[in-house]
Amino acid sequence: PIRLSGRVIHGFGRGSKKLGVPTANLPPAPLAQQLAELPAGVYFGWPEADRRVHKMVMNIGRRPTFGDAEPELSVEAHVMHAYSQDFYDQPLRLVVLGYIRPEVKFGGLQELLARINTDIGIARSQLDLPQ
Ligand code: ADP
Ligand code: RBF
Ligand code: MG
């Protein structure tokens, strides 16, 4: 397993939360060495403190769907739990167990969202396996 940790920062304010998939963003700079070995894409695993309580699916990449001119790398995890409060600035440790797919440029938000929901389903079933 790969461990990625940091304090939750504000993301790009593109309303992931409004879309129903809030993502806790980690600062990429301190993780540069680990990120150099990880292809951009979608991964699944556990938030460390919540192992086997909550599952998570995450994206590492530059969000090509939005077509930013000079996109920064982002590391963002959607935890499959309905939290009653935000946890900005809190430490978050992720245990990354598997890779789902490469990051791609979707035709629009609807396509992106539909695929994210598929990713959530894949993560859920992978993390339910006994191994
Ligand atoms: P931002 O662009 O600032 O990352 P988001 O719309 O992605 O904003 O919302 C992310 C924030 O929402 C997280 O930093 C965290 O504080 C909060 N949050 C609430 N529930 C969740 C969840 N289930 N998974 C991830 N973050 C969550
Ligand atoms: N952004 C992309 O441009 N392409 C992707 O393939 C992509 N996959 C994602 C998969 C998951 C599970 C999550 C949580 C995010 C993904 N994103 C992707 C990032 C997305 O653009 C970002 O969370 C937002 O800014 C959505 O509003
Ligand atoms: Mg976010």
Side-chain angles (χ1 to χ4, degrees):
I2 295 153
R3 289 189 161 76
L4 298 174
S5 58
R7 273 180 195 274
V8 176
I9 54 170
H10 286 266
F12 297 85
R14 280 213 167 108
S16 317
K17 203 184 281 174
K18 277 180 211 142
L19 300 174
V21 262
T23 59
N25 292 55
L26 293 180
L31 303 173
Q33 215 175 330
Q34 285 171 291
L35 295 175
E37 317 265 298
L38 296 173
V42 182
Y43 296 80
F44 63 86
W46 313 96
E48 184 131 43
D50 287 347
R51 258 177 126 171
R52 302 191 179 268
V53 179
H54 303 312
K55 301 177 168 84
M56 69 89 187
V57 63
M58 69 183 297
N59 185 248
I60 297 175
R62 300 180 192 270
R63 307 161 310 283
T65 302
F66 294 90
D68 293 346
E70 286 177 18
E72 283 173 56
L73 187 67
S74 62
V75 177
E76 49 180 324
H78 171 65
V79 183
M80 297 178 208
H81 177 69
Y83 289 94
S84 56
Q85 284 194 322
D86 284 351
F87 44 93
Y88 286 113
D89 222 36
Q90 301 294 311
L92 178 65
R93 299 188 303 170
L94 303 174
V95 183
V96 185
L97 291 183
Y99 177 76
I100 299 178
R101 64 171 176 91
E103 189 183 45
V104 300
K105 180 176 169 67
F106 287 99
L109 213 55
Q110 286 312 109
E111 273 179 54
L112 169 64
L113 246 187
R115 180 60 221 203
I116 288 176
N117 283 313
T118 301
D119 295 330
I120 290 172
I122 293 170
R124 197 166 266 141
S125 54
Q126 288 292 308
L127 292 166
D128 276 336
L129 296 173
Q131 62 269 37

